[in-house]
Amino acid sequence: LQYALATLICMWWIRPFKVFSLGKNLKISLFNLLCIGNLAFLGVYMLLREFSERNTSSGVYTGLYLSINVLLFLIIPAGYIHLRNQFENKQTRRIDILHLLPSVLCLLGFVVPWIIYGQEFMSSPTAISLFKVFAYCTVGIYIVLMMKFLLKKNISFLNSTKKSRNADSLTTKKVEVPVEGEKQVLVGSVHLDKAQLARMDEQLKSFFLTQQPYLQQGYNLKQLAEDTTIPLHHLSAFINQYYHIHFNDFINEYRVQYCQVKIKNDEWRSKTLEAIAEESGFNNRNTFTAAFKKVTGFNPSDYLRMVKQKQIA
């Protein structure tokens, strides 16, 4: 239970979970659904364990209990691999097949002997003790692995002690200057690496190209974080530091570009500028005018006049 909750909390930490609408006034987060699913799984697990210990004459419950343990020892490594890939921006590799070992050991060490020797095998004190040792060691190993990469990736004080001692001995503060032309994003005390920046840049551009969220009036940073599953604090820092722009200006650029396309497609013949602006995601004229002039250098009316006069292709 502790491992399951720790894994879920880490998954929530990496990126926000989507919210599902189950009706007009009923919404539930995927995080809550996963918590309910974990509790249900563990409830069934504990019931099967209890029934298998009490009903020693029948091997049905023991068989189900051993089967769910094989599944459990697949889920535990899978949770670790998922978190590792997300935190360290890695892909599953061939060597990760080693993480099938706990499930295979459970199958060969307990399920197969139970099939061969029957119920007496699992009810023996030796088998019970061995199974407990195997289970606790497996969970313990994966908790240590998970804590190891969490500390390595996200706890800055592991590497800050030596730096702080050196800083105390200096009379002037040393400022780290980024390499010319290299974009850097700092989230708290953690620098996002090049691979993370490239992935977030591609993810945002692809999402805006295919989904066009900027057409929704009032679309905000929190909604973008939920839709792209990028952590809110990562997303905010990325837009501010990577694009060197605030979120409102960032999304308004897409709206202005969309509005320009509509004007160039002669939609002004059947629609007012206010209608085109509204269809482009702007919710008031002042915001539209300010954003349009900031992006293009012209007021919307001046831009439309130049399009009519074919001064702009």
Side-chain angles (χ1 to χ4, degrees):
L1 177 60
Q2 291 174 348
Y3 179 82
L5 291 177
T7 305
L8 283 173
I9 290 171
C10 290
M11 290 172 65
W12 173 80
W13 185 16
I14 295 173
R15 56 183 59 182
F17 286 86
K18 290 186 177 180
V19 177
F20 295 99
S21 296
L22 303 179
K24 186 176 181 180
N25 299 316
L26 181 60
K27 294 183 178 181
I28 187 168
S29 169
L30 178 60
F31 177 76
N32 293 334
L33 288 175
L34 289 173
C35 287
I36 294 171
N38 271 277
L39 291 174
F41 179 86
L42 290 168
V44 172
Y45 180 86
M46 295 305 296
L47 284 174
L48 287 175
R49 175 184 174 182
E50 187 73 17
F51 289 155
S52 67
E53 290 178 352
R54 293 190 178 186
N55 297 274
T56 56
S57 58
S58 174
V60 176
Y61 292 114
T62 302
L64 291 173
Y65 175 61
L66 290 174
S67 299
I68 204 172
N69 269 289
V70 174
L71 178 62
L72 183 67
F73 291 121
L74 279 174
I75 293 174
I76 289 174
Y80 162 74
I81 292 173
H82 174 75
L83 289 178
R84 183 205 64 191
N85 291 349
Q86 293 296 320
F87 269 109
E88 300 187 350
N89 196 27
K90 292 183 177 180
Q91 299 292 329
T92 304
R93 301 161 295 177
R94 288 185 178 181
I95 196 172
D96 288 328
I97 199 171
L98 290 174
H99 292 286
L100 292 174
L101 188 60
S103 184
V104 173
L105 288 176
C106 180
L107 183 65
L108 297 178
F110 300 98
V111 177
V112 172
W114 172 76
I115 294 174
I116 297 174
Y117 299 107
Q119 184 67 16
E120 292 77 13
F121 171 78
M122 283 307 299
S123 60
S124 65
T126 302
I128 294 173
S129 299
L130 286 174
F131 182 78
K132 288 182 178 179
V133 171
F134 170 73
Y136 284 123
C137 286
T138 301
V139 176
I141 288 171
Y142 278 97
I143 287 179
V144 170
L145 288 173
M146 187 169 65
M147 292 299 107
K148 182 179 178 181
F149 74 73
L150 281 177
L151 291 172
K152 178 182 177 181
K153 187 69 177 177
N154 296 282
I155 306 297
S156 59
F157 67 77
L158 291 177
N159 298 319
S160 63
T161 305
K162 185 176 180 180
K163 291 181 181 180
S164 62
R165 289 177 180 175
N166 293 336
D168 291 339
S169 62
L170 298 176
T171 56
T172 59
K173 184 178 180 180
K174 182 180 179 181
V175 179
E176 187 175 325
V177 180
V179 179
E180 181 70 23
E182 181 181 349
K183 295 183 178 180
Q184 294 190 353
V185 175
L186 181 67
V187 181
S189 57
V190 178
H191 278 280
L192 299 183
D193 56 38
K194 290 182 180 179
Q196 289 174 306
L197 296 178
R199 179 166 58 86
M200 291 173 68
D201 181 42
E202 182 180 355
Q203 186 176 356
L204 278 179
K205 288 179 179 177
S206 175
F207 179 73
F208 271 76
L209 179 65
T210 57
Q211 302 300 320
Q212 296 181 309
Y214 49 86
L215 299 183
Q216 303 177 38
Q217 294 185 4
Y219 191 80
N220 56 42
L221 184 64
K222 184 179 179 181
Q223 288 174 289
L224 180 60
E226 292 176 352
D227 290 340
T228 58
T229 66
I230 299 175
L232 181 60
H233 54 293
H234 283 206
L235 183 60
S236 177
F238 179 78
I239 293 175
N240 292 338
Q241 300 176 39
Y242 191 83
Y243 295 137
H244 302 290
I245 196 172
H246 293 295
F247 172 76
N248 288 337
D249 294 330
F250 172 73
I251 197 170
N252 282 341
E253 280 193 9
Y254 280 92
R255 289 169 174 158
V256 169
Q257 291 170 8
Y258 186 82
C259 186
Q260 286 178 278
V261 172
K262 293 177 80 68
I263 292 174
K264 291 178 181 179
N265 288 339
D266 291 343
E267 292 191 26
W268 53 268
R269 296 182 183 275
S270 58
K271 301 174 184 177
T272 64
L273 275 177
E274 288 79 5
I276 294 175
E278 186 176 350
E279 291 176 358
S280 302
F282 290 101
N283 54 16
N284 65 74
R285 183 181 179 86
N286 291 335
T287 303
F288 166 60
T289 303
F292 199 97
K293 186 172 183 179
K294 190 171 186 178
V295 173
T296 67
F298 302 101
N299 287 324
S301 56
D302 294 335
Y303 185 85
L304 176 58
R305 177 179 51 79
M306 288 188 289
V307 170
K308 290 179 179 179
Q309 296 174 358
K310 301 188 182 300
Q311 297 178 13
I312 296 178

